[in-house]
């Protein structure tokens, strides 16, 4: 029983092959065999005829095996019969739908289609085709093969965006309608799985529709490639450039001899007409018959009375059928049979033919060219040799050159950016922030002209795409307000992609795909700088009580040093300051020791001891002052507490309104939208009390423009909320997404990214600066105004000194002040000296009394010391000098006043 759904000529061909195999097994190759095969052939067309033919063979022919069903539906019934009556059913389909326990007597003499699907997936992976469109025959076998393809392509992450089923009875106009759908797709790789008659019509129509030109890829499975030799010239010519796959049959002397006998046999039987050639299916049939002969010989002669176990009533058409006792033995020996046949190594593994190597070939004209091979254990290779590395490879670089459709030698990319025409690029019409997108309409041609940062990024990505594209800008302008969500919903009806400052946001990813971002991510809060620098900022590091304590401590320390230095003479010859001037300088303030050598300031050891600790305290105060002033100029500017009563501004048309309501839970009544930097600034200047706002929530790229224009008036505060930045939008599952994402990555890491930013945002702007998005450009620069108060104090002191030194009124004022100060100090000093003199007198009387007592008690010689100029004389001298100085000053003042 032979192939169903085939022409009469093909049936006769396979019958001839089985006859030839029987003769070969009996005479040519194994003349010593004692067993012989007797083949019963039945011509059955259709499921009903197949079932009747199988029952007749089992009943009347008493066959011990069935060879020939080649359809899944026929296999199911015949395999069920074989399982019930223990008759091996040998088929040329890939598998059966029966459970394993009922499938035990079913043997497939073709390899499993899963191996062919893996080979096809490896080829597409090697050529880096991201998607493949499947055109398959609308039969059970077509659906079965589709399941293998789906799994194989899924394992290598190749998409199958569209699968087209074509019926055998489809008219040409139905196939043309399907081609019109395929031409609108961006995928240009088509895998065809159908029989020779339907494939013939398909490729002829494809060539007429212009789908066999450059850029297209056509791949055929062995379902069609095994029968290419039976196709006419027109069909073969329309298939030029097709890439095919089929089981590989190596040339051998045995195969050549068979080919010669086959041609002689075909000439004898078909003296008129063309000579038909055999294919791999015929070779499998030949090897199958030979394997049956070998298995039967191994079993040996069998008594005809022992061929059946028993006779039972099975209830099938009321026919008595017998259970075979020879069938299990035949199945066992057939499963263990191994030999070198015409098709190659013959061996059954789990009831199925061992997977062979697959030949990858290219249709060129009316001929074929082998470009490589695929093996289950080694993958793709240029040559099929037993030596070499055992690693699995999917690289197609070592394959021979392929002639693609349209006589092209350049490997197709497998997709088209445009199905037809130009790429429709949507751009938003903005009222503000035109640094990103600025759209103008040419009044003469009504064409949309777009410029800006986002457009420059788009233009920079075009050279990085795998193929050049034609594009045209189309503006989106809602009559009311710009809505980015509304613009994205116009994909793909109005736009093929959207280029602009479109934020990548999770809710939008439900209906569009985004490329990688090309801008800085994040949303930030911007407020007005409520703590501006003033001219008295240098006073703010220390509070008033600390300033007062420092002043009082300086005065008291000066007095202490003055007292400690009062009796020290100026014995240092190198000193450039007289003692009187040094004491007066110490009296004014000890801070001046920082500007003069210590030997010119103090001479007493105790003064130095006190001065060391004073300088230590002064050093700590100065360092603390410096640190606190730095904090005021930097860190304190970042302090901010957001209030729920604030009115917050956001950009009109953006996603910020939903973001503020859903994520930050800000009441909608406190949200106001604005379109430009100027509107933001005007609203912030007025404040919420005058109808404005208190803060702005927007993305960092927009806020950098605001801070750049109004630098120190605003500041970024609070945490940065995560967003993904700006990106290009595409239809869902568009292959453009991955290609533009790679191009954006190349542009972002390139050297011209900084120039693009500076061209649109001005010099000095760069996303490579990590602080550029958080610190205003001029916040770290101090001006004259910031320390104006300090200059006022120094200038006032300088003018006062000039007034007192260079004017007569100033000199009189200075003299009077010095006189009264000296008189006060002299009074205090005299009191101090009088107490000191009283203490010394009492001390001398005690010594005299002690000396007198001692002289009475014993002989003690008392020697008087020469008189020395002690502290008393120094004190009196100082007092006398100061008194004389005061009298002279007072006399001069009186004379000047009289004059």
């Amino acid at each position: 029983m032979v192939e169903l759904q085939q022409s009469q000529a093909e049936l006769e061909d396979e019958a001839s092959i089985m006859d030839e195999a029987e003769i070969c097994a009996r005479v040519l190759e194994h003349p010593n065999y004692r067993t012989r095969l007797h083949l019963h052939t039945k011509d059955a067309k259709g499921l009903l005829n197949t079932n009747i033919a199988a029952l007749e063979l089992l009943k009347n022919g008493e066959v011990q095996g069935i060879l020939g069903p080649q359809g899944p539906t026929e296999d199911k019934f015949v395999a069920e019969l074989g399982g019930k009556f223990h008759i091996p059913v040998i088929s040329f389909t890939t598998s059966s739908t029966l459970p394993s326990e009922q499938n035990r007597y079913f043997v497939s003499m073709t390899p499993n289609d899963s191996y062919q699907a893996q080979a096809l997936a490896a080829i597409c992976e090697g050529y880096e085709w991201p998607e493949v469109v499947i055109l398959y025959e609308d039969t059970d076998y077509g659906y079965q093969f589709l399941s293998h393809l789906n799994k194989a392509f899924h394992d290598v992450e190749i998409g199958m965006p569209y699968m087209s089923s074509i019926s055998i009875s489809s008219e040409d106009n139905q196939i043309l309608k399907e081609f019109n759908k395929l031409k609108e797709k961006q995928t240009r790789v088509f895998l065809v799985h159908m029989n020779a008659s339907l494939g013939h019509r398909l490729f002829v129509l494809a060539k007429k529709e212009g789908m066999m030109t450059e850029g297209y890829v056509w791949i055929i499975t062995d379902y069609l490639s095994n029968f290419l030799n039976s196709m006419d010239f027109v069909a073969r010519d329309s298939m030029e450039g097709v890439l095919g796959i089929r089981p590989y049959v190596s040339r051998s002397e045995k195969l050549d001899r068979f080919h010669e006998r086959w041609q002689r046999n075909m000439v004898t039987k078909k003296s008129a007409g063309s000579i038909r050639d055999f294919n791999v299916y015929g070779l499998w049939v030949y090897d199958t018959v030979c394997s049956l002969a070998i298995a039967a010989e191994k079993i040996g002669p069998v008594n005809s009375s022992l061929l059946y176990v028993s006779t039972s009533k099975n209830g099938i058409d009321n026919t008595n059928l017998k259970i075979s006792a020879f069938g299990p033995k035949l199945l066992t020996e057939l499963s263990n049979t191994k030999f070198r046949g015409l098709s190659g190594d013959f061996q059954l593994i789990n009831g199925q033919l061992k997977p062979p190597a697959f030949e990858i070939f290219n249709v060129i004209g009316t001929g074929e060219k082998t470009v490589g091979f695929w093996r289950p254990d080694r993958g793709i290779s240029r040559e099929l040799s037993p030596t070499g590395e055992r690693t699995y490879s999917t690289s197609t670089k070592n394959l021979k050159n392929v002639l693609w459709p349209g006589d092209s030698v350049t490997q197709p990319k497998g997709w088209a950016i445009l199905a037809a025409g130009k790429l429709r690029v949507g751009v938003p019409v903005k009222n503000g922030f035109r640094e990103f997108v600025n759209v103008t309409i040419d009044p003469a041609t009504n064409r949309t002209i777009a410029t800006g940062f986002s457009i420059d990024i788009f233009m920079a990505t075009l050279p990085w795409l795998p193929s050049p594209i034609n594009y045209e800008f189309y503006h989106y302008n809602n009559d009311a307000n710009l809505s980015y969500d509304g613009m994205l919903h116009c994909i793909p009806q109005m736009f093929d992609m959207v280029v602009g400052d479109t934020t990548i946001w999770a809710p939008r990813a439900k209906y569009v795909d985004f490329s990688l971002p090309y801008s800085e991510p994040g949303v930030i809060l911007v407020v007005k700088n409520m703590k501006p620098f003033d001219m008295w900022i240098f006073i703010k590091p220390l509070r008033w009580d600390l300033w007062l304590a420092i002043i009082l401590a300086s005065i008291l320390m000066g007095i202490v040093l003055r007292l400690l230095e009062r009796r020290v003479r100026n014995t240092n010859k190198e000193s450039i300051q007289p003692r009187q001037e040094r004491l007066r300088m110490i009296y004014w303030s000890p801070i001046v020791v920082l500007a003069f050598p210590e030997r010119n300031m103090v001479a007493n050891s105790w003064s130095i001891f006190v001065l060391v600790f004073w300088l230590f305290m002064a050093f700590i105060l100065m360092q603390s002052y410096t640190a606190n002033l730095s904090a005021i100029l930097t860190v304190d500017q970042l302090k901010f507490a957001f209030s729920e009563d604030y009115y917050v501004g956001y950009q009109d048309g953006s996603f910020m309104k939903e973001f503020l309501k859903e994520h930050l839970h800000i009441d909608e009544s406190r949200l106001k939208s604005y379109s430009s930097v100027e509107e933001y600034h005007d609203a912030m200047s007025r404040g919420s009390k005058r109808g404005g706002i208190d803060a702005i929530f927007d993305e960092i790229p927009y806020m950098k423009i605001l801070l750049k224009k109004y630098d120190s008036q605003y500041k970024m505060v609070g945490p940065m909320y995560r967003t993904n930045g700006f990106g290009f939008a595409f239809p869902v599952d568009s292959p453009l997404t991955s290609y533009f994402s790679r191009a954006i990555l190349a542009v972002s890491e390139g050297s011209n990214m900084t120039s693009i930013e500076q061209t649109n945002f001005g010099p000095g702007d760069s996303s490579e600066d990590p602080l550029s998005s958080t610190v205003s450009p001029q916040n770290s620069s101090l001006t004259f105004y910031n320390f104006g108060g300090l200059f006022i104090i120094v200038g006032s002191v300088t003018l006062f000194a000039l007034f007192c030194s260079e004017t007569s009124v100033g000199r009189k004022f200075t003299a009077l002040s010095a006189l009264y100060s000296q008189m006060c100090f002299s009074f205090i000093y005299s009191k101090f000296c009088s107490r000191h003199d009283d203490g010394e007198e009492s001390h001398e009387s005690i010594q005299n009394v002690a000396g007198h007592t001692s002289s009475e008690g014993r002989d003690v010689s008392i020697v008087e010391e020469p008189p020395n100029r002690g502290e008393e004389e120094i004190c009196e001298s100082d007092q006398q000098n100061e008194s004389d100085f005061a009298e002279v000053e007072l006399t001069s003042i009186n004379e000047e006043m009289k004059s």
Side-chain angles (χ1 to χ4, degrees), residues 289-361:
V289 175
C290 292
S291 65
L292 287 172
I294 295 172
E297 177 66 20
K298 290 180 180 179
I299 296 174
V302 179
N303 192 341
S304 59
S305 61
L306 301 177
L307 289 177
Y308 298 98
V309 175
S310 63
T311 302
S312 60
K313 189 77 173 177
N314 293 279
I316 302 177
D317 293 339
N318 296 323
T319 303
N320 291 328
L321 296 177
K322 303 174 183 179
I323 297 177
S324 174
F326 184 79
K329 297 179 182 179
L330 181 62
L331 179 64
T332 301
E333 294 299 334
L334 184 63
S335 300
N336 296 328
T337 299
K338 298 180 183 179
F339 67 96
R340 180 73 179 177
L342 296 182
S343 61
D345 293 333
F346 184 92
Q347 180 183 357
L348 295 178
I349 299 176
N350 297 326
Q352 212 153 24
L353 187 66
K354 177 183 177 181
F358 284 90
E359 175 188 7
I360 305 172
F361 67 93

Side-chain angles (χ1 to χ4, degrees), residues 35-211:
T35 57
R36 295 293 182 265
L37 297 180
H38 182 62
L39 300 178
H40 298 267
T41 60
K42 277 283 186 179
D43 183 10
K45 295 182 180 180
L47 178 60
L48 180 60
N49 293 332
T50 301
N51 298 338
I52 295 174
L55 291 174
E56 289 180 356
L57 288 172
L58 290 175
K59 178 183 177 182
N60 302 326
E62 297 183 350
V63 297
Q64 299 299 318
I66 299 177
L67 177 66
Q70 297 184 12
T73 307
E74 296 82 4
D75 282 349
K76 184 176 181 181
F77 176 78
V78 179
E80 188 174 356
L81 286 178
K84 284 185 177 182
F85 302 109
H86 298 179
I87 300 295
V89 177
I90 302 172
S91 175
F92 295 98
T93 56
T94 57
S95 62
S96 175
T97 57
L98 291 175
S100 58
E101 62 273 5
Q102 300 178 5
N103 205 21
R104 189 163 59 92
Y105 285 89
F106 182 84
V107 179
S108 178
M109 287 301 175
T110 58
N112 196 306
D113 276 337
S114 62
Y115 294 103
Q116 184 179 187
Q118 293 175 21
L120 293 169
I123 292 172
C124 295
E125 182 184 11
Y127 283 115
E128 299 180 353
W129 295 323
E131 295 179 341
V132 178
V133 172
I134 310 298
L135 290 88
Y136 63 98
E137 181 183 297
D138 189 11
T139 58
D140 292 339
Y141 179 52
Y143 287 105
Q144 182 181 343
F145 187 77
L146 188 63
S147 63
H148 293 299
L149 284 178
N150 191 18
K151 182 180 183 304
F153 284 161
H154 180 269
D155 292 341
V156 296
E157 298 182 352
I158 293 178
M160 299 170 61
Y162 188 74
M163 292 170 283
S164 175
S165 62
I166 300 177
S167 175
I168 299 175
S169 60
S170 296
E171 300 291 338
D172 290 351
N173 58 351
Q174 294 176 321
I175 299 177
L176 291 175
K177 288 181 180 180
E178 195 66 26
F179 281 161
N180 291 331
K181 295 179 182 179
L182 297 178
K183 287 194 294 186
E184 295 177 356
K185 309 291 182 183
Q186 292 179 324
T187 306
R188 290 293 182 264
V189 181
F190 303 105
L191 193 152
V192 179
H193 179 72
M194 54 187 60
N195 61 29
S197 60
L198 184 58
H200 170 276
R201 296 167 53 205
L202 181 82
F203 280 101
V204 171
L205 294 175
K207 186 174 182 179
K208 290 181 179 179
E209 284 295 307
M211 299 180 67

Side-chain angles (χ1 to χ4, degrees), residues 200-232:
H200 170 276
R201 296 167 53 205
L202 181 82
F203 280 101
V204 171
L205 294 175
K207 186 174 182 179
K208 290 181 179 179
E209 284 295 307
M211 299 180 67
M212 297 298 297
T213 56
E214 185 176 359
Y216 284 88
V217 178
W218 291 87
I219 307 173
I220 58 175
T221 65
D222 67 348
Y223 194 27
L224 176 57
S225 59
N226 284 329
F227 299 96
L228 287 181
N229 54 12
S230 63
M231 299 179 69
D232 58 20

Side-chain angles (χ1 to χ4, degrees), residues 808-826:
S808 59
V809 177
R811 286 194 294 270
K812 294 177 182 179
F813 175 77
T814 303
L816 288 174
S817 299
L819 175 62
Y820 288 117
S821 298
Q822 189 65 37
M823 292 175 63
C824 293
F825 183 78
S826 298

